DNA sequence: TAGCACCAC
DNA sequence: ACCCGTGGTGCTA
């Protein structure tokens, strides 16, 4: 028998508690009082899942803050494998659970001081203790909550989609004069460009592209293109959303339990999987039908709270651009404002506003005339003019972009409002190769903006956790609350979210209420 | 497993 | 033809 003391290195698994001390791993049955201690973890989420309350250190998150580039979605490697290799030059020796636990605990023992010092030097200790570890607890709660699915409705939708798909499929075969696998880009391109002799528009590595842009262009010439677009949309929605969600519904609770990866991105955003709840359709009419399948429990109701224009507000804050700051201080329609500058007139129609909106987003992504011209389907020279007009008006934004790139070239990293950082390899940002260099430049610009937005939503998550969060979709939180408390809750949530940080422009949160998403 | 395609913010 | 940022997922070959 042994005690768990404050600041012990601990793991909990299958109702056993493990502790690393003096080179030895101790194991015994978990006791309730173990959960009251302030402990050090390899991965706090696993401990929070086992009801630990106070976690003082998390090796995986500490490593993520020091260098967020390892997004585990990009590799099949587990954090333990990655950390052993990166810091200790070791391979994961044994693969049974107990041995892995032992290696995790030992890694904490060996690396904690080093990483804590590193975080101190980078002024990121607070980010770990006050943001990431608490967020880990919030994520744990969100994953436990899950979200209810109306399976009857979804099954009905599935039938409807399948009927439509069959019909469209038949149509396509008739128009093509042959049966083939529409889901195979290879076979499709053979039908379009050989059999039907349509003109290819662009190439991929392996042949001619059949993407949406191409098919949109081809629909001017041949009716099959439009049918294929319809087929694609329906098929995508059915397989990725309806089928997969149905397969993930817990038959007892009628809920799905999406998981979140706290080190899933290089910017600080959280990613989601099983299913990727952050990509539930919303833009198309059919997509919105799928949203309706997510319902609140009896007696409960959803509160959706999303930050309005958060990334542009952050750009205003970071750049201190006079005109952009002014726009947000006065709650202007900022896409409209940009359109007026681009088109040099007051009266802006919907199409022109769309152009302004695209340009505003393009700035955040690190703009290039080429990219903008493709996005807007306009001449590259015109795109160039638009960008010049933009920067001529938003001079502070232009200056901030230049300064940020310079900072990265000299320091080898960029940072967010909360001092989250992303390493920018000097060899990349200073590369002779224009494509490589400009790609890193775009990352330099996008990361502080996207990353600061994630800083803000993370504070919001921590402060609103008591309201029963069921989803996090980057700049949006969805809560499931008692119907009779909806008014006070939504007021409080909005208040909390709008005041997580005091920026040079106000944060604005839009709140919606509903029985489905 | 890579490549394509496409959903979201 | 080319990357305008961050992801996850389903399909084919």
């Amino acid at each position: 028998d042994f005690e768990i003391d404050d600041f012990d290195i601990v793991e909990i698994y299958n109702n056993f508690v493990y502790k690393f001390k003096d080179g030895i791993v101790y194991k015994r049955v978990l006791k309730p009082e173990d959960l009251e201690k302030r402990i050090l973890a390899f991965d706090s989420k696993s401990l929070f899942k086992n009801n630990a309350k106070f976690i003082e250190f998390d090796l995986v998150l500490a490593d993520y803050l020091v260098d967020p580039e390892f997004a585990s979605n990009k590799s099949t490697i587990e954090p333990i494998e990655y950390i052993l290799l990166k810091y200790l030059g070791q391979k994961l020796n044994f693969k049974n659970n107990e041995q892995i636990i032992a290696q995790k605990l030992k890694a904490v023992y060996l690396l904690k001081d080093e990483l804590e010092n590193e975080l101190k030097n980078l002024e990121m200790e607070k980010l770990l203790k006050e943001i990431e570890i608490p967020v880990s607890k919030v994520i744990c709660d969100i994953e436990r909550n899950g979200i209810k699915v109306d399976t009857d409705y979804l099954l009905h939708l599935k039938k409807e989609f399948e009927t439509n798909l069959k019909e469209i499929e038949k149509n396509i075969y008739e128009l093509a004069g042959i049966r083939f696998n529409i889901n195979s880009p290879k076979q499709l391109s053979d039908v379009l460009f050989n059999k039907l002799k349509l003109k290819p528009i662009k190439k991929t590595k392996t042949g001619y592209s059949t993407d949406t842009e191409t098919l949109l262009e081809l629909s001017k010439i041949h009716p099959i293109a439009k049918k294929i677009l319809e087929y694609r949309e329906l098929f995508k929605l059915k397989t990725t959303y309806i089928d997969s969600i149905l397969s993930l519904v817990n038959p007892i609770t009628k809920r799905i339990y999406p998981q979140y990866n706290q080190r899933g991105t290089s910017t600080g955003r959280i990613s989601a999987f099983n299913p990727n709840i952050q990509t539930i359709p919303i833009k198309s009419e059919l997509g919105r039908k799928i949203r309706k399948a997510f319902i609140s429990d009896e007696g409960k109701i959803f509160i959706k709270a999303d930050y309005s224009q958060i990334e542009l507000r952050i750009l205003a804050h970071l750049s201190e651009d006079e005109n952009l700051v002014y726009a947000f201080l006065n709650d202007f329609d900022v896409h409209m404002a940009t359109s007026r500058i681009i088109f040099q007139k007051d009266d802006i129609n919907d199409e022109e506003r769309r152009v302004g909106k695209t340009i505003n987003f393009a700035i955040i992504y690190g703009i290039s005339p080429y990219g903008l011209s493709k996005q807007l389907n306009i001449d590259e020279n015109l795109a160039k003019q638009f960008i010049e007009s933009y920067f001529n008006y938003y001079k502070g934004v232009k200056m901030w972009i230049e300064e940020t790139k310079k900072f990265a070239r000299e320091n080898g990293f960029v940072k967010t409002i909360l001092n989250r950082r992303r390493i920018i390899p000097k060899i990349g940002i200073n590369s002779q190769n224009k494509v490589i260099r400009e790609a890193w430049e775009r990352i330099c610009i996008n990361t502080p903006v996207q990353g600061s937005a994630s800083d803000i939503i993370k504070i919001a998550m921590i402060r609103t956790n008591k309201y029963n969060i069921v989803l996090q979709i980057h700049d949006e939180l969805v809560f499931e609350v008692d119907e009779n408390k909806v008014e006070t809750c939504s007021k409080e949530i909005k208040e909390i979210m709008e005041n997580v940080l005091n920026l040079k422009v106000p944060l604005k949160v839009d709140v919606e209420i509903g029985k489905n998403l």
Side-chain angles (χ1 to χ4, degrees):
Chain A
D1 199 25
F2 61 92
E3 288 302 306
I4 300 293
D5 300 314
D6 280 343
F7 302 103
D8 274 346
I9 299 169
V10 172
E11 177 70 289
I12 304 174
Y13 183 76
N14 272 353
N15 226 31
F16 285 97
V17 61
Y18 299 76
K19 150 173 168 172
F20 185 93
K21 183 87 178 193
D22 302 328
I24 300 168
V25 178
Y26 298 85
K27 172 190 177 184
R28 63 158 163 74
V29 172
L30 181 69
K31 299 184 211 163
E33 57 263 37
D34 298 336
L35 302 170
E36 303 297 326
K37 302 293 192 222
R38 302 161 66 186
I39 52 182
L40 314 176
F42 177 80
D43 166 19
S44 55
K45 188 165 145 190
S46 120
L47 284 158
F48 282 131
K49 290 252 166 183
N50 286 287
N51 302 313
K53 287 187 191 156
F54 311 109
I55 295 179
E56 298 290 324
F57 181 78
D58 178 318
L59 182 60
V60 169
L61 291 174
D63 170 68
Y64 174 63
L65 291 179
V66 168
D67 179 4
E69 206 61 41
F70 170 80
S72 58
N73 60 292
K74 287 180 189 160
S75 93
T76 53
I77 244 186
E78 288 290 315
I80 177 62
E81 235 178 315
Y82 167 76
I83 281 173
L84 284 179
L85 197 64
K86 174 174 170 185
Y87 292 94
L88 303 169
Q90 290 174 10
K91 287 209 151 191
L92 195 61
N93 284 325
F94 310 100
K95 306 244 166 163
N96 82 47
N97 284 325
E98 301 235 327
Q99 289 164 331
I100 290 174
I101 287 168
Q103 287 174 94
K104 286 180 178 175
L105 293 172
K106 193 173 177 194
V108 177
Y109 170 74
L110 291 172
L111 299 172
K112 176 180 170 282
D113 289 351
E114 178 184 336
L115 275 162
E116 272 195 330
N117 276 331
E118 179 80 5
L119 288 177
K120 199 164 204 163
N121 291 336
L122 304 175
E123 295 175 44
M124 297 174 89
E125 326 100 288
K126 281 181 129 186
L127 199 50
L128 178 65
K129 288 206 160 51
E130 293 175 21
I131 305 290
E132 295 301 339
I133 292 177
V135 161
S136 164
K137 163 68 175 154
V138 179
I139 286 175
C140 179
D141 292 340
I142 298 175
E143 290 183 355
R144 268 194 198 141
N145 288 339
I147 185 163
K148 194 171 183 185
V149 175
D150 186 341
T151 47
D152 292 339
Y153 169 80
L154 215 47
L155 283 166
H156 169 262
L157 209 58
K158 180 180 161 85
K159 280 250 163 60
E160 185 183 315
F161 278 33
E162 280 167 353
T163 310
N164 290 344
L165 272 167
K166 272 211 187 92
E167 182 66 26
I168 297 169
E169 208 179 323
K170 217 177 89 192
N171 266 230
I172 291 172
Y173 296 153
E174 279 165 10
L175 288 163
I178 184 179
R179 288 177 68 93
F180 65 102
N181 188 341
I182 306 166
N183 294 317
S184 162
K186 192 164 180 274
Q187 292 184 34
L188 176 60
S189 114
D190 189 50
V191 167
L192 293 177
F193 306 121
N194 293 330
K195 183 133 197 334
L196 298 177
K197 307 257 182 272
L198 296 172
K199 218 174 103 205
I201 299 190
K202 56 183 176 182
K203 284 183 180 172
T204 66
K205 266 187 213 174
T206 50
Y208 295 126
S209 173
T210 65
D211 66 6
T212 306
E213 199 192 327
T214 305
L215 293 171
L216 234 34
E217 194 61 33
L218 291 178
S219 29
K220 294 174 189 165
I221 302 160
H222 199 290
I224 197 172
K226 188 157 172 281
K227 287 287 157 195
I228 292 163
L229 285 168
E230 284 175 30
Y231 178 91
R232 283 239 177 104
E233 184 185 10
L234 275 168
F235 193 86
K236 171 83 180 176
L237 293 177
K238 179 180 125 58
T239 53
T240 309
Y241 299 101
I242 300 181
D243 294 343
S244 84
I245 286 168
L246 280 171
S247 78
L248 290 167
V249 174
N250 179 312
I252 294 161
T253 62
K254 299 283 184 201
R255 297 173 89 88
I256 55 166
Y257 299 88
Q259 292 177 261
Y260 293 83
N261 183 351
Q262 203 173 343
R263 43 179 307 163
T265 75
S266 304
T267 56
R269 271 193 186 175
I270 297 163
S271 66
F273 61 101
N274 281 350
N276 183 350
I277 199 72
Q278 293 174 324
T279 60
I280 299 300
I282 188 158
K283 285 171 183 165
S284 76
E285 198 53 51
L286 287 171
R288 282 194 288 276
K289 284 191 169 183
I290 288 171
R291 286 229 155 193
K292 290 209 177 87
F294 296 91
I295 53 174
S296 54
D297 220 333
E298 294 91 52
K300 308 262 184 178
I301 193 159
F302 289 139
I303 298 174
K304 273 185 17 176
D306 71 291
Y307 281 107
S308 161
Q309 312 284 17
I310 190 166
E311 295 194 338
L312 286 170
R313 285 169 197 267
I314 284 162
L315 181 65
H317 172 83
L318 292 173
S319 69
E320 302 184 42
D321 180 277
E322 211 181 318
N323 288 323
L324 200 53
V325 168
Y326 185 84
F328 283 122
L329 285 177
N330 293 283
D331 204 21
F332 287 172
D333 175 343
V334 62
H335 299 322
M336 187 68 81
T338 296
S339 304
R340 292 196 169 119
I341 295 312
I342 301 298
F343 295 109
Q344 301 286 322
K345 60 174 185 179
D346 264 3
D347 242 11
I348 296 297
N349 63 33
D350 287 357
E351 173 58 20
E352 289 161 339
R353 185 178 179 280
R354 193 184 64 83
V355 172
K357 183 175 174 177
T358 304
I359 293 172
N360 279 338
F361 279 110
I363 297 288
I364 290 169
Y365 297 149
I367 199 165
S368 81
Y370 169 76
L372 185 63
S373 72
K374 266 198 93 173
Q375 179 77 22
L376 288 173
N377 204 6
I378 56 171
D379 183 84
E380 203 173 318
N381 279 317
L382 183 57
K384 210 169 165 178
Q385 279 179 39
F386 283 171
I387 295 168
E388 274 168 21
S389 309
Y390 180 98
F391 283 136
N392 190 41
Y393 182 68
Y394 297 111
K395 289 194 170 67
V397 173
K398 187 187 170 118
M399 271 178 58
W400 176 78
I401 290 174
E402 287 314 317
E403 282 164 16
T404 304
K405 289 186 203 166
K406 182 161 177 263
F407 182 91
R409 280 194 292 271
E410 289 169 0
N411 297 287
F413 69 92
V414 291
K415 56 187 186 184
T416 69
I417 290 174
L418 293 191
N419 220 17
R420 183 187 305 280
R421 55 166 51 207
R422 179 173 183 180
I423 293 170
I424 307 293
K426 291 191 182 178
I427 194 158
I429 189 78
N430 293 304
S431 170
Q432 301 289 317
N433 182 325
K434 185 165 166 267
V435 175
I436 293 174
R437 185 178 65 248
E438 288 180 347
W440 280 107
E441 286 179 351
R442 289 191 292 274
I443 287 171
C444 282
I445 300 315
N446 178 256
T447 296
V449 176
Q450 196 183 110
S452 297
S454 77
D455 291 346
I456 286 171
I457 196 91
K458 279 176 172 173
I459 302 175
M461 288 165 74
I462 295 164
R463 297 198 187 162
T464 59
N465 195 27
K466 63 175 171 183
Y467 297 100
N468 217 26
I469 307 173
V470 290
L471 294 181
Q472 193 265 33
I473 313 180
H474 304 311
D475 59 0
E476 168 185 346
L477 295 174
V478 181
F479 306 85
E480 188 179 26
V481 303
D482 283 346
E483 242 169 323
N484 54 21
K485 290 187 192 149
V486 66
E487 314 247 308
T488 46
C489 283
S490 46
K491 241 166 80 185
E492 288 168 16
I493 287 166
K494 183 175 160 78
E495 177 74 15
I496 292 170
M497 288 178 72
E498 286 183 343
N499 291 291
V500 291
L501 280 182
N502 202 1
L503 302 186
K504 298 198 167 65
V505 295
L507 290 171
K508 190 179 167 194
V509 171
D510 295 327
V511 174
E512 281 177 61
I513 288 158
K515 302 284 280 179
N516 55 51
L517 288 188

